[in-house]
Amino acid sequence: MGSITLSNIHKSYGTTKAVDGVDLTIEQGELFFLLGPSGCGKTTLLRMIAGFIDPTEGRIAFDGTDVTHMPPNRRNTGMVFQSYALWPHMTVAENVAYGLVLRKQPPATRTANIEAALEMVQMEDYAQRKPNELSGGQQQRVALARALVVEPDVLLLDEPLSNLDAKLRLEMRVEIRRICKKSGITTVYVTHDQDEALSMADRIAVLKSGTVRQLGPPRELYRRPATRFVAEFLGETNFIESQVASRKGDTVTLETASGPLQAAWDGVELADGASVVCSVRPEAFRLAGSADEVNLLDGTVAEQIFLGDQAQNVVELRDGSTVRMLELNPGDSSSKSSRRLCVDPEDIVILHD
């Protein structure tokens, strides 16, 4: 058992729709992220998968078996909560053993499984310590070991890194992905942190107002967002208002107030003269090397934040609009200096919502 299928899942609280018609298939062994802002329905979905709440409508299946109304203790899932939920009066080993005791596993087998789980999270040397003797990152590892020791078919993680400092979050991202992929357990991870999702996930479902707005691998979602919401939520971007001038082959010519731009065509039909919005990431802009480059935009640096290896520039274009540009290895020039920018057609994304 390992794959998860959500079919037309709805959850309403009175007139409020927390989840509104979600269809998802999560493959066995996949590290799958539910990503979105507060109130988008991601935690509600996770709790329905866990069995803590029932959907108002729809079906949940594990490997084809309907578990929609099955109680949590019969689903063989492991869950790591945001607060870790460790027993303060128990040692690390006793905390990890808790689920095995409830399942009445024999003591000899239990000891071996506890040792294996602690070794997986690199906490075997801390077995006799109490939770208050551990750092936040170490407590997180113990909570993960407790979820893994029962050998769940599905692992559920509810914003597990939100209580850690920035350095620990970076370390634990690597560790959690390593552990999940090594164990081969299907994992559903809830977060509002875009960097976590982009750096760890096999696939991401971006949610807003209880619906999935886009689904796919991290690189695809970042480079080819389908909507303005997804483009803006997954990092910084520039929105450029334009009109469709023509299409030839796989290239669309767009007219903007700052000059013509050529964008890669994504297969969606576009009528000549149609108004569209394009997304261009700041790092997609670069300094033009020659006048033969495509998509040339002339402007002046109105604002610059120098960060050593890079500079974040706000460039004012000829029509008075501004774009943000990330300049690597910046020289000695500062604000008010002129810039001729260019961007590759495949880095100009035409949004459709």
Side-chain angles (χ1 to χ4, degrees):
M1 188 184 292
S3 66
I4 304 168
T5 304
L6 307 179
S7 303
N8 193 33
I9 297 296
H10 294 256
K11 183 61 182 179
S12 299
Y13 296 97
T15 58
T16 302
K17 293 183 178 180
V19 177
D20 191 14
V22 168
D23 293 285
L24 287 174
T25 298
I26 301 168
E27 302 297 339
Q28 183 171 355
E30 191 171 27
L31 181 49
F32 189 93
F33 272 62
L34 298 172
L35 174 68
S38 297
C40 71
K42 56 188 184 296
T43 297
T44 302
L45 268 177
L46 192 78
R47 293 176 66 83
M48 285 191 282
I49 294 171
F52 297 148
I53 55 177
D54 286 342
T56 305
E57 181 183 339
R59 179 177 181 269
I60 301 172
F62 288 0
D63 269 356
T65 300
D66 192 330
V67 299
T68 309
H69 302 291
M70 184 181 291
N73 62 314
R74 293 181 54 199
R75 297 194 185 198
N76 196 29
T77 61
M79 189 155 184
V80 178
F81 297 93
Q82 184 176 346
S83 62
Y84 315 145
L86 300 177
W87 298 105
H89 64 287
M90 293 182 178
T91 65
V92 165
E94 289 168 341
N95 267 282
V96 174
Y98 187 74
L100 300 178
V101 173
L102 291 179
R103 296 179 184 215
K104 297 180 170 56
Q105 190 174 91
T109 307
R110 191 190 311 159
T111 300
N113 287 340
I114 293 167
E115 290 175 354
L118 289 176
E119 183 179 356
M120 181 175 288
V121 300
Q122 300 177 357
M123 287 292 291
E124 61 269 29
D125 294 335
Y126 299 84
Q128 299 309 313
R129 292 196 186 184
K130 297 288 183 64
N132 62 3
E133 299 175 308
L134 304 176
S135 68
Q138 289 169 335
Q139 291 182 40
Q140 178 63 74
R141 290 170 189 258
V142 175
L144 193 55
R146 184 178 59 186
L148 292 170
V149 75
V150 297
E151 298 181 349
D153 296 314
V154 173
L155 179 64
L156 306 173
L157 304 172
D158 187 8
E159 303 212 39
L161 305 184
S162 61
N163 293 327
L164 303 181
D165 62 42
K167 184 175 183 295
L168 272 176
R169 281 202 302 271
L170 289 174
E171 292 175 359
M172 287 304 299
R173 284 179 201 169
V174 175
E175 281 302 297
I176 288 178
R177 179 166 175 85
R178 177 188 66 81
I179 291 165
C180 291
K181 301 312 290 184
K182 182 179 179 180
S183 66
I185 297 173
T186 305
T187 304
V188 184
Y189 190 122
V190 160
T191 187
H192 64 271
D193 188 310
Q194 301 92 326
D195 290 340
E196 267 179 44
L198 291 171
S199 63
M200 295 173 64
D202 293 326
R203 282 193 304 153
I204 302 170
V206 182
L207 285 87
K208 181 185 180 185
S209 302
T211 62
V212 176
R213 298 305 172 96
Q214 193 169 352
L215 170 67
R219 192 178 299 269
E220 176 186 308
L221 295 189
Y222 184 81
R223 288 188 54 80
R224 310 302 301 179
T227 69
R228 186 176 184 126
F229 169 75
V230 175
E232 197 166 26
F233 192 75
L234 287 177
E236 190 175 354
T237 194
N238 297 287
F239 294 116
I240 300 175
E241 305 281 345
S242 60
Q243 283 190 319
V244 177
S246 63
R247 182 177 68 82
K248 183 177 181 181
D250 292 333
T251 302
V252 179
T253 300
L254 304 168
E255 290 294 341
T256 77
S258 301
L261 294 175
Q262 293 182 5
W265 185 49
D266 59 6
V268 178
E269 287 300 325
L270 294 167
D272 288 354
S275 296
V276 295
V277 177
C278 300
S279 168
V280 182
R281 300 288 184 190
E283 66 272 16
F285 284 117
R286 65 179 190 278
L287 298 179
S290 72
D292 296 330
E293 302 268 16
V294 297
N295 297 333
L296 294 172
L297 296 171
D298 290 313
T300 303
V301 176
E303 182 182 339
Q304 182 181 80
I305 300 175
F306 179 72
L307 298 172
D309 61 336
Q310 60 183 259
Q312 297 175 354
N313 296 323
V314 177
V315 179
E316 183 176 344
L317 304 179
R318 289 179 300 185
D319 67 314
S321 64
T322 60
V323 295
R324 294 186 177 273
M325 172 212 179
L326 189 67
E327 185 178 352
L328 297 178
N329 191 26
D332 295 331
S333 60
S334 57
S335 61
K336 304 307 179 184
S337 59
S338 61
R339 292 285 193 279
R340 170 165 279 188
L341 310 182
C342 62
V343 57
D344 293 331
E346 56 266 28
D347 289 325
I348 300 176
V349 181
I350 300 172
L351 305 174
H352 300 288
D353 182 8

